[in-house]
Amino acid sequence: MDFRLNEEQQMLQDTVARLVRGEYSFEKRLEFSETEAGFSVDFWKQLGELGLTAVPFSEELGGFDGGGVEVQSVMTELGRGLCLEPYLQSVIFAGGLINQAGNDTQKDTWLAGIASGELQAAVALQEPQSFYDLKDVETRAEKNDSGYVLNGRKAVVIGGHCADLILVSARTSEAADGISLFVLTPDTAGLERRVYPTIDGSKGCDITLTDVQVSAEALVGQQDGAAEVIEYQAGRAIAALCAEAVGAMEAANELTLDYLKQRKQFGVPIGRFQVLQHRMVDMMSELEQARSMSILAASVADEEQSDERRRILAAAKNVIGRSGQFISEQGIQSHGGIGMTWEYNFAHYAKRLIMINHQLGDDDFHLEHYASLLQAS
Amino acid sequence: MDFRLNEEQQMLQDTVARLVRGEYSFEKRLEFSETEAGFSVDFWKQLGELGLTAVPFSEELGGFDGGGVEVQSVMTELGRGLCLEPYLQSVIFAGGLINQAGNDTQKDTWLAGIASGELQAAVALQEPQSFYDLKDVETRAEKNDSGYVLNGRKAVVIGGHCADLILVSARTSEAADGISLFVLTPDTAGLERRVYPTIDGSKGCDITLTDVQVSAEALVGQQDGAAEVIEYQAGRAIAALCAEAVGAMEAANELTLDYLKQRKQFGVPIGRFQVLQHRMVDMMSELEQARSMSILAASVADEEQSDERRRILAAAKNVIGRSGQFISEQGIQSHGGIGMTWEYNFAHYAKRLIMINHQLGDDDFHLEHYASLLQAS
Amino acid sequence: MNLNYTEEELAFRDEVRAFLDKKLPADIAAKVKGFRRLSKEDHQRWQKILSEQGWYATHWPVEHGGVEWSPVQKHIWDEESSRYGVPRSIPFGVNMVAPVIIRFGNEEQKQTYLPRILSGEDWWCQGYSEPGAGSDLASLKTRAVREGDHYIVNGQKTWTTLGQHANMIFCLVRTNTEVKAQEGISFLLIDMDTPGITVRPIITLEGEHEVNEVFFEDVKVPVENLVGEEDKGWTYAKYLLTYERTGLAGIGLSKAALSHLKELASRRLKNGRPLLEDPTFSQRIAEVEIDLTAAGISNLRIIASVEGGGVPGAESSMLKVKGTEIRQAINDLARRAIGPYALPFVEEELELDYDGEFLSDENAAPLSAQYFNNRKLSIFGGSNEIQKNIVSKMILGL
Amino acid sequence: MNLNYTEEELAFRDEVRAFLDKKLPADIAAKVKGFRRLSKEDHQRWQKILSEQGWYATHWPVEHGGVEWSPVQKHIWDEESSRYGVPRSIPFGVNMVAPVIIRFGNEEQKQTYLPRILSGEDWWCQGYSEPGAGSDLASLKTRAVREGDHYIVNGQKTWTTLGQHANMIFCLVRTNTEVKAQEGISFLLIDMDTPGITVRPIITLEGEHEVNEVFFEDVKVPVENLVGEEDKGWTYAKYLLTYERTGLAGIGLSKAALSHLKELASRRLKNGRPLLEDPTFSQRIAEVEIDLTAAGISNLRIIASVEGGGVPGAESSMLKVKGTEIRQAINDLARRAIGPYALPFVEEELELDYDGEFLSDENAAPLSAQYFNNRKLSIFGGSNEIQKNIVSKMILGL
């Protein structure tokens, strides 16, 4: 049993950390957020050049064959820097889907680009009515002679506003699992995007598909066979998101702790007040729980699917959701007024952490999922 | 709008308070608890002589025609004194059932005795499988020429070990509501009791009914008609239990507050530690919530049945369950070791408060019930 | 004990309802109920209607143009206001500086300022907090030095709510540094147009401009703008704080927010069913509704006791804490109810006259922002920690 | 990073399992798993079996008869012990006084006491807390005054767990009142049969006799029973406290309790369905299981770090708090699971050989009592408040 990173993993993490420290000051982040892309195109390019967008892919694709731990190393540091780049969406989730289900042509055409960072992909799996259930798909794909015709609506596609590729799930059969996956380019006729900023400083869009004709080659994996693939890759994305959250929580707690030491009220640092001390301890303790679950999630992220993997990932996302909210809310409270302001760093960590709970299922959603997998012992 | 007691109600409450203070020291209570009855037969007699057991009954029965507020006045003081007498079971619940559903003969025979305190009654409504659902009745009553034959098991009948009368619910039809109510004396052939102490210092029993033959006169109210009556009277009992809980919480908080002022550690009263201060404030605040709900519950206890009454009573029992547990657990924690001991008063309040949550449905049960009655607004 | 309104109180409630039915502008009510942005003009328009009705200054004596409602009447007004979607009154003039002027000001100040508050001519803001003096208000540093007929004011105030709209500010300033912190403070009324005053927006975490910093650089304030005696300002401020605490629990606002939440939960789906029918979510709503019911009765108990001549004590501080926790819990649930739609933040959707396409649910737009913004509830107006300190002092006597 | 056991560790686990399969008496395991009462004889019988296996003194060096397991081996033992229903070891001799004697005692003390602990001849208890010195242990007042070859001890100890069974007690006593509180304390070993010692039971809230008061009246203790130097006892006590803290989180015990809870919930009904299938209850179980999973990994992280030569710091105090909260939450759920059956308390049902009729569920009997008894978890062994004070000192540096 050994919880230490090996030398390569440590080097990987240090590389990302250094990069983020150098390029991603708080002020710059605010600027990146206001650009059309909503992130730093330049930083994204650097990630690609350093091979970091290739981490989870095979060596043929220029990658490290990185597993959960390597992804965790990258994501934790991106989380600590509140980075806005679509690493999760493009590299982990979309890349993972094509990697798992795509045929050789699709891998050659798209995966290489995703791994090098030259292509940026997004996943369009949620719908207005779906809440967090990725099997709740009403968008339909009808087979015809030229391929498939898609109709429907996709909700909250983070990074979709400027993606080169969009992976869309659509119902191809009435069976609960009868879902298929299609890869679309945003210029496809009938695909419309409504772009918006998100409250945590990123950007995304809603997508309307009206009689969108795609060729049969746009189908990724088997027809009616996408449900399992999506579930598996969503699990990898959850593990990555947990790591991002842990990085953000670490930074958030450091800010709060600093503030407790420096801010004075009634003639003493506010960290002298026992209530604030104990609250800070609780926040550290929640972070420990989150860190443990991120480690555990990373350890199963690339394992074969099983109820045990499902349980661990649901548990991890549940813990991260709760601890993220606790650390955000209590951190704001401990900061007082300054924690409520745009111009101070903390609030942006809080917003990201709360929004992580709204991606890929919140703590309630995963608690329910875990409960449904509960075993009598 | 006026939350003050009127003169008579205040006098009533003062009378009970004085009586409890005089007769019910902590040491005496421990002694009462160890007697065969598990309460003070003498104190019970005094309650009768002073007309206090008649409070909710009509003037013909020697009563006050007391409503929810009068019952609240009595129960709060009994709760403050941790009194063990079966006022709730006999006067409020069993008395209420006969009062609402009994015919004139039954009222003459039994209710007069209950009102005077000469008869002590108990209610046997729960069963091993029923959890808190009083409609989950598997005990059966079959009609025959001589009346009814009862078979089944009744669980946790507080006060049933020494009751003169036991009101038993039994299924007389397959419809969910097809429940009837019978009044039995404990010497009836085929009725067996397994007596035990309860963890909060009282006594009760489980009851087995094996081919118990009762006459048709033992039926209280209409055949198949008891479900509504039981629900209504359980509601009155819930309001009374809430008042008892508020009395106990008041006393418990007073003990904790005293302890915080007197106990010294690190050279100062422990009440100087901010964490304990804020916790005490939280405990006071929970008590305020509980007090408000007890008042509200009292105000509807004797009103006509309605979803609004159901909601309020469920809400009240939910709040009392939560606040009682909070005040108990945090009170023990604030006391430290001494709060863990038998010989100190506080633990007995804690035990009673936690057990009140196990009578007539705990906070979870009532939350679920409330949620089922939730209205879109 | 009687939990019902008297005949007179019921009649008053009918009067309030009739007034709101007739006079509350529909566009304003729609903004309030949909948590949309209110403009300065909206506030002024509504204030004018209230003033004409004679119901604007509910805390003032009749002689100054007030209406002197009883605590129960005020409560009825609050309840109905929340239900109807009446804009929250901006308290700085009518409910904050005015009571101080009425109690401690001189005749000239009353004659000058009170009518202008009633008419809406003046929009006041509050200059209390400073960057170094939040919960520890008495440590404030803004200096006012007497020079002839003027005070020269230098320093900085912060968290000045809606200061961008104001033409007047009431300030606590330090006039004496030789004495204990609380004893050297004075209460000054300052015209925002005086040279040397700069207002700088503070953008709150969700992106709104609601609060400000106000900088004073050699600002000349006529001595007649001093309220009461020099160095006695702390007494007036404390008077005001007690005044302020009642109502901070925001029971009426929570009721309105809960009602909005339930409406939302009856439409938003989870597993194809409305959230209101989901076992988990409905229980979460149930719990907060129950807590709010209890807090509502606690509020009524305080009101009834004040009506009976009592003075609200520890209970109102406890209720401030409980009430803000409840409102934050409702905001949390509302954010949870919209699931992935918590992420998009289209600022323009906060405007009632927004004519773009709404995201899935037009009522979803303000909910994340509101959740973040209302984290302030447990910080401002005396943080919940400070409230608990106050209560523990009162009950522990320590 | 590798979360799996090594080959050697897996082999060790197999060895442990084989041993427990063969040697753990079924009646004892049944008592542990059913939360029944264990007698002194049960504990002694099991200790003898462990001693024969050479696995009793897992913390001691081999030269003294210990086995020196690695942190991971200890963890494996703890896990398997909980799963099999091994009685909790009574730590006062083997894990508390022994390490102090080994580290600070003289040769004679080692020769005298260690073998008697191994053989089970001595049953030790702990004399630390006093009525006036709980969380503030250093303020203890029990006096030991040197007179010739003896100390004369006067005073009172409290919360002495299982003192009724003990023939030896290790005490912190004050030998110097002239110096700072921590500096005048000594560490004494006292024979419980010495005249002047009285043991009085303390009955805990649920009615059990587990802890005691111990009174000392002119008790003559030979000076050779002093461990280390006079007035240096606080150093030894602190050494012991650090020792004690690991393991206080009770992860293994929580796992056993959770497993019991789930078994219970699969049998107890609500609305005619097992509680384990009830939406509300299953989510409550899920939440505590998730928290326990996380705490379990945190525990492993500490163990792995100690294995790697690290010293557990703030993490182990935080884990003590989290771990006790989790166990209390499990106890709370178990009590809730039995509904109305939380009330009856038939003490005799705590005995395994109870031959009366059980109430509805034979496993229901101890659950309320256990819930109340385990409120102690957050109080004893350094209350959770004290743990948080320690952590905040470590991380805040205040």
Side-chain angles (χ1 to χ4, degrees), chain B residues 1-2 4-5 257 271 274 277-278 282 286 288-289 291-292 319 322 368 370 375 377, chain C residues 1-2 4 259 262 283 289-291 294-295 298 301 318 322 388-389 392 395-396 398:
Chain B
M1 210 171 39
D2 188 356
R4 287 167 303 187
L5 300 177
L257 186 53
Q274 198 190 23
Q277 290 177 352
H278 283 204
D282 291 340
E286 289 309 301
E288 285 301 319
Q289 294 281 94
R291 200 176 267 143
S292 288
V319 167
R322 286 188 280 144
E368 234 174 279
Y370 189 98
Q375 290 177 315
S377 87
Chain C
M1 190 152 348
N2 183 358
N4 302 317
S259 151
K262 286 163 79 175
Q283 285 186 38
E289 182 169 297
I290 289 171
D291 284 340
S298 299
R301 284 164 53 214
M318 287 194 280
K322 182 63 79 180
K388 289 187 188 180
N389 284 349
S392 74
I395 62 171
L396 287 166
L398 284 170

Short mmCIF file of all heavy atoms in Angstrom, two decimals, chain B residues 1-2 4-5 257 271 274 277-278 282 286 288-289 291-292 319 322 368 370 375 377, chain C residues 1-2 4 259 262 283 289-291 294-295 298 301 318 322 388-389 392 395-396 398:
data_model
loop_
_atom_site.label_atom_id
_atom_site.label_comp_id
_atom_site.label_asym_id
_atom_site.label_seq_id
_atom_site.Cartn_x
_atom_site.Cartn_y
_atom_site.Cartn_z
N MET B 1 -54.26 38.55 18.31
CA MET B 1 -53.20 37.57 18.49
C MET B 1 -52.63 37.71 19.89
O MET B 1 -52.24 38.80 20.30
CB MET B 1 -52.11 37.82 17.46
CG MET B 1 -51.38 36.59 17.04
SD MET B 1 -50.28 36.93 15.64
CE MET B 1 -49.62 38.54 16.04
N ASP B 2 -52.59 36.63 20.60
CA ASP B 2 -52.14 36.72 21.99
C ASP B 2 -51.59 35.36 22.40
O ASP B 2 -52.30 34.36 22.33
CB ASP B 2 -53.33 37.10 22.89
CG ASP B 2 -52.87 37.40 24.31
OD1 ASP B 2 -51.66 37.23 24.59
OD2 ASP B 2 -53.72 37.79 25.12
N ARG B 4 -50.31 34.67 25.34
CA ARG B 4 -50.29 34.45 26.78
C ARG B 4 -51.38 33.48 27.20
O ARG B 4 -52.44 33.40 26.56
CB ARG B 4 -50.47 35.80 27.51
CG ARG B 4 -49.24 36.68 27.41
CD ARG B 4 -49.54 38.08 27.83
NE ARG B 4 -50.65 38.63 27.01
CZ ARG B 4 -51.05 39.89 27.06
NH1 ARG B 4 -50.47 40.74 27.89
NH2 ARG B 4 -52.04 40.31 26.30
N LEU B 5 -51.13 32.76 28.27
CA LEU B 5 -52.17 31.92 28.84
C LEU B 5 -53.19 32.82 29.50
O LEU B 5 -52.83 33.88 30.04
CB LEU B 5 -51.58 30.98 29.89
CG LEU B 5 -50.50 30.00 29.38
CD1 LEU B 5 -49.94 29.18 30.55
CD2 LEU B 5 -51.06 29.08 28.31
N LEU B 257 -26.97 25.16 30.83
CA LEU B 257 -26.55 26.55 31.01
C LEU B 257 -25.89 26.73 32.39
O LEU B 257 -24.83 27.35 32.50
CB LEU B 257 -27.78 27.45 30.87
CG LEU B 257 -27.56 28.96 30.89
CD1 LEU B 257 -26.53 29.37 29.86
CD2 LEU B 257 -28.89 29.67 30.60
N GLY B 271 -18.14 28.04 30.09
CA GLY B 271 -19.02 28.93 29.32
C GLY B 271 -18.29 30.11 28.71
O GLY B 271 -18.86 30.88 27.95
N GLN B 274 -15.95 30.08 23.32
CA GLN B 274 -16.91 30.55 22.32
C GLN B 274 -17.67 29.41 21.65
O GLN B 274 -18.85 29.53 21.36
CB GLN B 274 -16.18 31.39 21.26
CG GLN B 274 -17.11 32.26 20.45
CD GLN B 274 -16.41 32.90 19.25
OE1 GLN B 274 -15.40 32.41 18.77
NE2 GLN B 274 -16.96 34.00 18.78
N GLN B 277 -20.37 28.49 23.91
CA GLN B 277 -21.35 29.57 23.92
C GLN B 277 -22.28 29.47 22.72
O GLN B 277 -23.50 29.48 22.86
CB GLN B 277 -20.66 30.94 23.88
CG GLN B 277 -19.91 31.29 25.14
CD GLN B 277 -19.18 32.63 25.02
OE1 GLN B 277 -19.11 33.21 23.94
NE2 GLN B 277 -18.63 33.11 26.12
N HIS B 278 -21.69 29.38 21.55
CA HIS B 278 -22.52 29.35 20.34
C HIS B 278 -23.39 28.10 20.31
O HIS B 278 -24.52 28.13 19.84
CB HIS B 278 -21.65 29.45 19.08
CG HIS B 278 -21.15 30.84 18.82
ND1 HIS B 278 -20.77 31.28 17.58
CD2 HIS B 278 -20.99 31.90 19.65
CE1 HIS B 278 -20.39 32.55 17.65
NE2 HIS B 278 -20.51 32.94 18.90
N ASP B 282 -27.39 27.83 20.02
CA ASP B 282 -28.10 26.96 19.08
C ASP B 282 -29.14 26.11 19.82
O ASP B 282 -30.24 25.88 19.31
CB ASP B 282 -27.12 26.04 18.35
CG ASP B 282 -26.22 26.79 17.38
OD1 ASP B 282 -26.59 27.92 16.99
OD2 ASP B 282 -25.15 26.26 17.02
N GLU B 286 -33.09 26.13 19.12
CA GLU B 286 -33.90 24.94 18.83
C GLU B 286 -35.09 24.86 19.77
O GLU B 286 -36.19 24.48 19.38
CB GLU B 286 -33.06 23.66 18.95
CG GLU B 286 -32.03 23.48 17.85
CD GLU B 286 -32.63 23.64 16.46
OE1 GLU B 286 -33.56 22.89 16.13
OE2 GLU B 286 -32.17 24.54 15.73
N GLU B 288 -36.61 27.37 21.07
CA GLU B 288 -37.60 28.36 20.60
C GLU B 288 -38.45 27.78 19.47
O GLU B 288 -39.67 27.96 19.44
CB GLU B 288 -36.91 29.63 20.09
CG GLU B 288 -36.37 30.54 21.18
CD GLU B 288 -37.45 31.02 22.14
OE1 GLU B 288 -38.56 31.35 21.70
OE2 GLU B 288 -37.18 31.03 23.37
N GLN B 289 -37.79 27.10 18.55
CA GLN B 289 -38.52 26.47 17.45
C GLN B 289 -39.52 25.45 17.99
O GLN B 289 -40.67 25.39 17.55
CB GLN B 289 -37.56 25.77 16.47
CG GLN B 289 -36.62 26.69 15.71
CD GLN B 289 -37.30 27.37 14.53
OE1 GLN B 289 -37.80 28.49 14.66
NE2 GLN B 289 -37.34 26.71 13.39
N ARG B 291 -40.80 25.28 20.98
CA ARG B 291 -41.86 25.94 21.74
C ARG B 291 -42.93 26.47 20.79
O ARG B 291 -44.13 26.31 21.03
CB ARG B 291 -41.22 27.08 22.53
CG ARG B 291 -42.02 27.56 23.70
CD ARG B 291 -41.26 28.62 24.45
NE ARG B 291 -40.46 28.13 25.55
CZ ARG B 291 -39.26 28.60 25.90
NH1 ARG B 291 -38.69 29.56 25.18
NH2 ARG B 291 -38.62 28.11 26.93
N SER B 292 -42.47 27.08 19.71
CA SER B 292 -43.42 27.61 18.74
C SER B 292 -44.30 26.50 18.17
O SER B 292 -45.51 26.66 18.02
CB SER B 292 -42.69 28.33 17.60
OG SER B 292 -42.16 29.54 18.07
N VAL B 319 -40.26 18.68 14.36
CA VAL B 319 -39.40 19.68 14.99
C VAL B 319 -38.99 19.22 16.39
O VAL B 319 -37.82 19.30 16.77
CB VAL B 319 -40.11 21.05 15.07
CG1 VAL B 319 -39.38 22.00 16.00
CG2 VAL B 319 -40.22 21.66 13.68
N ARG B 322 -36.33 16.55 16.26
CA ARG B 322 -35.00 17.05 15.93
C ARG B 322 -34.42 17.89 17.05
O ARG B 322 -33.25 17.75 17.41
CB ARG B 322 -35.07 17.89 14.65
CG ARG B 322 -35.24 17.07 13.40
CD ARG B 322 -35.09 17.94 12.17
NE ARG B 322 -36.29 18.69 11.85
CZ ARG B 322 -36.31 19.93 11.35
NH1 ARG B 322 -35.17 20.58 11.14
NH2 ARG B 322 -37.44 20.52 11.06
N GLU B 368 -41.64 12.54 6.33
CA GLU B 368 -42.20 11.85 5.18
C GLU B 368 -43.70 12.11 5.07
O GLU B 368 -44.22 12.34 3.98
CB GLU B 368 -41.96 10.36 5.35
CG GLU B 368 -41.27 9.74 4.18
CD GLU B 368 -40.93 8.30 4.45
OE1 GLU B 368 -39.91 8.08 5.12
OE2 GLU B 368 -41.68 7.41 4.01
N TYR B 370 -45.35 14.66 6.28
CA TYR B 370 -45.53 16.06 5.88
C TYR B 370 -45.30 16.21 4.38
O TYR B 370 -46.07 16.87 3.68
CB TYR B 370 -44.57 16.95 6.67
CG TYR B 370 -44.85 18.43 6.49
CD1 TYR B 370 -45.58 19.13 7.44
CD2 TYR B 370 -44.37 19.12 5.38
CE1 TYR B 370 -45.83 20.49 7.28
CE2 TYR B 370 -44.63 20.47 5.21
CZ TYR B 370 -45.36 21.15 6.16
OH TYR B 370 -45.62 22.49 6.00
N GLN B 375 -48.15 20.83 -0.44
CA GLN B 375 -48.93 21.41 -1.54
C GLN B 375 -48.07 22.28 -2.41
O GLN B 375 -47.28 23.06 -1.90
CB GLN B 375 -50.04 22.30 -0.98
CG GLN B 375 -51.12 21.53 -0.29
CD GLN B 375 -52.13 22.49 0.29
OE1 GLN B 375 -51.73 23.47 0.90
NE2 GLN B 375 -53.40 22.22 0.10
N SER B 377 -47.57 25.55 -4.25
CA SER B 377 -48.19 26.78 -3.75
C SER B 377 -48.48 27.74 -4.89
O SER B 377 -48.11 27.50 -6.02
CB SER B 377 -47.30 27.44 -2.73
OG SER B 377 -46.40 28.29 -3.39
N MET C 1 -54.73 32.32 25.26
CA MET C 1 -53.94 32.18 24.04
C MET C 1 -54.85 32.24 22.83
O MET C 1 -55.89 31.61 22.81
CB MET C 1 -53.19 30.85 24.08
CG MET C 1 -52.19 30.77 22.98
SD MET C 1 -50.72 29.74 23.27
CE MET C 1 -50.70 29.36 24.95
N ASN C 2 -54.45 33.02 21.85
CA ASN C 2 -55.28 33.16 20.66
C ASN C 2 -54.38 33.48 19.48
O ASN C 2 -53.75 34.53 19.44
CB ASN C 2 -56.31 34.27 20.90
CG ASN C 2 -57.25 34.40 19.73
OD1 ASN C 2 -57.12 33.70 18.73
ND2 ASN C 2 -58.19 35.30 19.84
N ASN C 4 -55.29 33.89 16.44
CA ASN C 4 -55.99 34.53 15.33
C ASN C 4 -55.91 36.05 15.42
O ASN C 4 -55.69 36.61 16.49
CB ASN C 4 -57.44 34.08 15.32
CG ASN C 4 -57.54 32.58 15.21
OD1 ASN C 4 -56.83 31.95 14.43
ND2 ASN C 4 -58.39 31.99 16.04
N SER C 259 -42.46 29.76 -1.73
CA SER C 259 -43.57 29.61 -2.65
C SER C 259 -43.04 29.52 -4.09
O SER C 259 -43.48 28.69 -4.90
CB SER C 259 -44.51 30.78 -2.41
OG SER C 259 -45.18 31.12 -3.56
N LYS C 262 -41.51 26.01 -4.56
CA LYS C 262 -42.49 24.94 -4.74
C LYS C 262 -43.10 24.98 -6.14
O LYS C 262 -43.36 23.94 -6.75
CB LYS C 262 -43.57 25.02 -3.65
CG LYS C 262 -43.04 24.56 -2.31
CD LYS C 262 -43.90 25.00 -1.15
CE LYS C 262 -45.12 24.13 -0.99
NZ LYS C 262 -45.88 24.52 0.23
N GLN C 283 -38.94 15.90 0.59
CA GLN C 283 -38.64 15.94 2.02
C GLN C 283 -37.73 17.11 2.38
O GLN C 283 -37.81 17.67 3.46
CB GLN C 283 -38.01 14.63 2.48
CG GLN C 283 -39.05 13.52 2.59
CD GLN C 283 -38.49 12.24 3.17
OE1 GLN C 283 -37.67 12.25 4.06
NE2 GLN C 283 -38.95 11.12 2.64
N GLU C 289 -39.84 24.01 4.93
CA GLU C 289 -41.16 24.60 5.17
C GLU C 289 -41.54 24.48 6.65
O GLU C 289 -42.11 25.40 7.24
CB GLU C 289 -42.22 23.93 4.28
CG GLU C 289 -43.60 24.54 4.45
CD GLU C 289 -44.60 24.07 3.40
OE1 GLU C 289 -44.38 24.34 2.21
OE2 GLU C 289 -45.61 23.41 3.77
N ILE C 290 -41.22 23.33 7.22
CA ILE C 290 -41.49 23.13 8.65
C ILE C 290 -40.69 24.12 9.50
O ILE C 290 -41.22 24.76 10.41
CB ILE C 290 -41.18 21.67 9.05
CG1 ILE C 290 -42.22 20.72 8.45
CG2 ILE C 290 -41.10 21.51 10.57
CD1 ILE C 290 -41.89 19.24 8.61
N ASP C 291 -39.41 24.24 9.18
CA ASP C 291 -38.59 25.19 9.94
C ASP C 291 -39.13 26.60 9.82
O ASP C 291 -39.12 27.37 10.78
CB ASP C 291 -37.14 25.14 9.44
CG ASP C 291 -36.41 23.90 9.95
OD1 ASP C 291 -36.87 23.30 10.94
OD2 ASP C 291 -35.38 23.53 9.35
N ALA C 294 -42.17 27.10 12.00
CA ALA C 294 -41.79 27.32 13.40
C ALA C 294 -41.23 28.73 13.59
O ALA C 294 -41.61 29.45 14.52
CB ALA C 294 -40.77 26.28 13.84
N ALA C 295 -40.35 29.15 12.68
CA ALA C 295 -39.76 30.48 12.80
C ALA C 295 -40.84 31.55 12.66
O ALA C 295 -40.77 32.60 13.30
CB ALA C 295 -38.66 30.67 11.76
N SER C 298 -42.43 31.85 15.93
CA SER C 298 -41.51 32.56 16.84
C SER C 298 -41.57 34.05 16.56
O SER C 298 -41.57 34.88 17.48
CB SER C 298 -40.08 32.05 16.65
OG SER C 298 -40.00 30.68 16.95
N ARG C 301 -44.64 35.47 17.98
CA ARG C 301 -44.55 35.58 19.44
C ARG C 301 -43.79 36.84 19.84
O ARG C 301 -44.17 37.54 20.78
CB ARG C 301 -43.87 34.34 20.02
CG ARG C 301 -44.80 33.12 20.05
CD ARG C 301 -44.04 31.83 20.25
NE ARG C 301 -43.18 31.87 21.41
CZ ARG C 301 -42.00 31.26 21.52
NH1 ARG C 301 -41.54 30.54 20.51
NH2 ARG C 301 -41.29 31.36 22.60
N MET C 318 -31.69 35.39 17.91
CA MET C 318 -31.75 33.99 17.51
C MET C 318 -32.57 33.82 16.25
O MET C 318 -32.24 33.03 15.37
CB MET C 318 -32.35 33.15 18.65
CG MET C 318 -31.40 32.96 19.81
SD MET C 318 -31.93 31.66 20.96
CE MET C 318 -33.14 32.55 21.91
N LYS C 322 -31.70 32.07 12.66
CA LYS C 322 -32.54 31.00 12.11
C LYS C 322 -33.17 31.43 10.79
O LYS C 322 -33.18 30.68 9.81
CB LYS C 322 -33.61 30.63 13.16
CG LYS C 322 -34.54 29.52 12.80
CD LYS C 322 -33.85 28.19 12.60
CE LYS C 322 -33.52 27.48 13.92
NZ LYS C 322 -32.83 26.18 13.66
N LYS C 388 -24.77 35.50 17.69
CA LYS C 388 -24.64 34.46 18.72
C LYS C 388 -23.81 34.97 19.90
O LYS C 388 -24.08 34.60 21.04
CB LYS C 388 -24.02 33.20 18.12
CG LYS C 388 -24.98 32.46 17.20
CD LYS C 388 -24.41 31.12 16.75
CE LYS C 388 -25.30 30.49 15.67
NZ LYS C 388 -24.79 29.19 15.22
N ASN C 389 -22.81 35.78 19.60
CA ASN C 389 -22.07 36.39 20.72
C ASN C 389 -23.00 37.22 21.59
O ASN C 389 -22.94 37.16 22.82
CB ASN C 389 -20.95 37.30 20.19
CG ASN C 389 -19.76 36.52 19.67
OD1 ASN C 389 -19.65 35.31 19.88
ND2 ASN C 389 -18.86 37.21 18.99
N SER C 392 -25.27 34.96 23.58
CA SER C 392 -24.62 34.23 24.66
C SER C 392 -24.25 35.18 25.80
O SER C 392 -24.27 34.81 26.96
CB SER C 392 -23.43 33.41 24.17
OG SER C 392 -22.35 34.23 23.88
N ILE C 395 -27.64 35.47 27.61
CA ILE C 395 -28.13 34.33 28.38
C ILE C 395 -27.07 33.74 29.29
O ILE C 395 -27.38 33.18 30.32
CB ILE C 395 -28.72 33.21 27.49
CG1 ILE C 395 -27.66 32.64 26.54
CG2 ILE C 395 -29.93 33.69 26.72
CD1 ILE C 395 -28.14 31.41 25.81
N LEU C 396 -25.81 33.85 28.91
CA LEU C 396 -24.77 33.30 29.77
C LEU C 396 -24.29 34.35 30.76
O LEU C 396 -23.67 34.03 31.77
CB LEU C 396 -23.58 32.82 28.95
CG LEU C 396 -23.76 31.54 28.14
CD1 LEU C 396 -22.64 31.38 27.14
CD2 LEU C 396 -23.80 30.34 29.07
N LEU C 398 -21.89 36.29 30.32
CA LEU C 398 -20.42 36.24 30.37
C LEU C 398 -19.82 37.36 29.52
O LEU C 398 -20.38 37.73 28.52
CB LEU C 398 -19.92 34.89 29.87
CG LEU C 398 -20.08 33.75 30.86
CD1 LEU C 398 -19.78 32.44 30.20
CD2 LEU C 398 -19.17 33.94 32.06
#
